[in-house]
Amino acid sequence: MILNRNDKCWCGSGLKYKRCHMNFDEELQRFADKGYEVPARDLIKSKEQIVGIRESAKINNGLLDLIGENIREGMSTEEVNVLAHNFIVSHGGIPATLNYDGFPKSVCTSINDVVCHGIPDKNRILIEGDIINVDSTTILDGYYSDASRMFKIGKVSEEAERIVQVARECLKKGIEEVKPWKSFLGDIAEAVQNHAESNGYSVVREFGGHGVGLDIHEEPFVSHVGKRGTGMLLVPGMVFTIEPMINVGGREIFIDKADGWTVLTSDGSLSAQWEHTILVTEDGVEIISK
């Protein structure tokens, strides 16, 4: 859509185009003319949408806080699921994963060698030494927020302690690369990959971060393996997740045919993941859901 200076801006602000996104679009076009990949307008969240995503994130962050306070040895992963489900619903939200493409639960619980998409189960009891990722996506008034955290059950091995820590560092390294108008998705990928591999670990390729906010999965795909200066330009208003999945052993994975969801490391090695939803701002980055 081509807009004149005095037309209302495409973002829905109600302002004239010249007072809103005209300069923004001109800057995007300059990058596009140089051959860079730039985000489409529908990847730029409006101020109203960002407020909605933040409100959704308050619930999502709260339920992960609650799980951190209660998760323990002897607890089943189904109990974790019920705790999360009840918290979301009682705060007016909807668990986005429940019945999403047939997924049967309100959160994912991925233990030890499970990379992601572990299904809560009343028969899977947490034991001392387990490491578990709890991944939650919440919908509130049509807005989505997404995050996951690692939890350690009792005393864990040195290897487990280290993979949890390095995975968290990988997330931090990726976020540090987000600089509006100056960085690219490839910058995030290279930072994550370099940190993981320098510590002797591997990075899962098949899954990554993604746009989020108006749906559970949006463009762009956020790889955690790549090269600096490649991929989409990062600009204010973009909302996406960074969620590196880091393996102690090889990067190869497989999906359990029994349930069609659970993703495991092929060599049985430990895997860890942390996930934040981030907003690219005018001068940096805001962590919305964590």
Side-chain angles (χ1 to χ4, degrees):
M1 179 193 303
I2 298 176
L3 295 177
N4 294 316
R5 293 170 55 87
N6 291 316
D7 290 340
K8 287 187 177 180
C9 187
W10 53 262
C11 74
S13 66
L15 298 174
K16 290 183 178 180
Y17 182 48
K18 65 183 179 182
R19 297 188 180 279
C20 198
H21 274 92
M22 189 177 78
N23 291 339
F24 177 95
D25 284 349
E26 289 174 348
E27 184 69 7
L28 270 188
Q29 190 59 50
R30 280 192 282 272
F31 276 93
D33 289 344
K34 294 177 182 178
Y36 292 105
E37 181 184 1
V38 300
R41 285 176 177 174
D42 61 1
L43 298 189
I44 308 302
K45 301 297 188 290
S46 69
K47 291 181 180 179
E48 179 183 4
Q49 290 167 343
I50 291 167
V51 169
I53 297 167
R54 287 193 187 112
E55 290 301 309
S56 173
K58 289 179 182 178
I59 299 174
N60 209 63
N61 294 341
L63 80 88
L64 289 171
D65 288 343
L66 180 67
I67 289 169
E69 294 165 2
N70 287 274
I71 199 166
R72 65 191 184 282
E73 182 181 1
M75 190 178 197
S76 73
T77 52
E78 175 58 15
E79 288 179 87
V80 174
N81 176 68
V82 170
L83 192 67
H85 179 92
N86 289 344
F87 185 90
I88 295 172
V89 172
S90 68
H91 286 78
I94 300 170
T97 58
L98 184 59
N99 300 319
Y100 174 75
D101 282 351
F103 190 82
K105 301 294 180 176
S106 296
V107 291
C108 300
T109 52
S110 303
I111 304 172
N112 297 334
D113 63 336
V114 178
V115 176
C116 60
H117 302 163
I119 301 174
D121 186 338
K122 66 180 181 180
N123 296 314
R124 181 48 168 105
I125 308 301
L126 295 172
I127 62 174
E128 184 168 23
D130 281 340
I131 57 172
I132 176 173
N133 176 273
V134 179
D135 190 344
S136 174
T137 307
T138 296
I139 311 169
L140 179 68
D141 299 328
Y143 296 106
Y144 292 70
S145 57
D146 189 6
S148 77
R149 300 181 195 174
M150 294 297 300
F151 301 101
K152 296 174 287 187
I153 307 303
K155 182 176 176 57
V156 303
S157 68
E158 184 177 331
E159 181 179 64
E161 186 82 46
R162 186 165 179 264
I163 187 65
V164 169
Q165 179 60 34
V166 172
R168 191 169 197 173
E169 292 168 359
C170 284
L171 171 60
K172 184 173 183 288
K173 296 282 186 183
I175 292 172
E176 287 173 350
E177 292 297 323
V178 179
K179 301 176 179 66
W181 301 111
K182 296 179 180 179
S183 61
F184 301 84
L185 286 176
D187 300 4
I188 297 171
E190 183 176 288
V192 170
Q193 183 178 7
N194 283 350
H195 190 68
E197 293 179 352
S198 69
N199 279 278
Y201 297 142
S202 62
V203 184
V204 172
R205 266 78 162 167
E206 292 84 350
F207 298 94
H210 52 87
V212 70
L214 306 183
D215 204 345
I216 190 169
H217 292 125
E218 303 173 13
E219 293 297 327
F221 176 73
V222 181
S223 177
H224 302 110
V225 173
K227 293 187 177 180
R228 187 174 299 278
T230 65
M232 187 177 288
L233 175 71
L234 303 181
V235 301
M238 294 178 70
V239 177
F240 55 85
T241 70
I242 302 177
E243 48 180 302
M245 303 171 196
I246 310 300
N247 297 345
V248 168
R251 67 177 181 84
E252 294 78 14
I253 59 174
F254 71 96
I255 298 175
D256 187 346
K257 293 181 180 179
D259 62 38
W261 278 102
T262 306
V263 180
L264 301 101
T265 58
S266 293
D267 57 11
S269 64
L270 295 175
S271 185
Q273 175 199 20
W274 296 80
E275 175 187 13
H276 288 350
T277 294
I278 67 110
L279 163 69
V280 184
T281 66
E282 293 291 340
D283 55 3
V285 61
E286 175 188 340
I287 298 172
I288 293 180
S289 190
K290 58 186 177 180

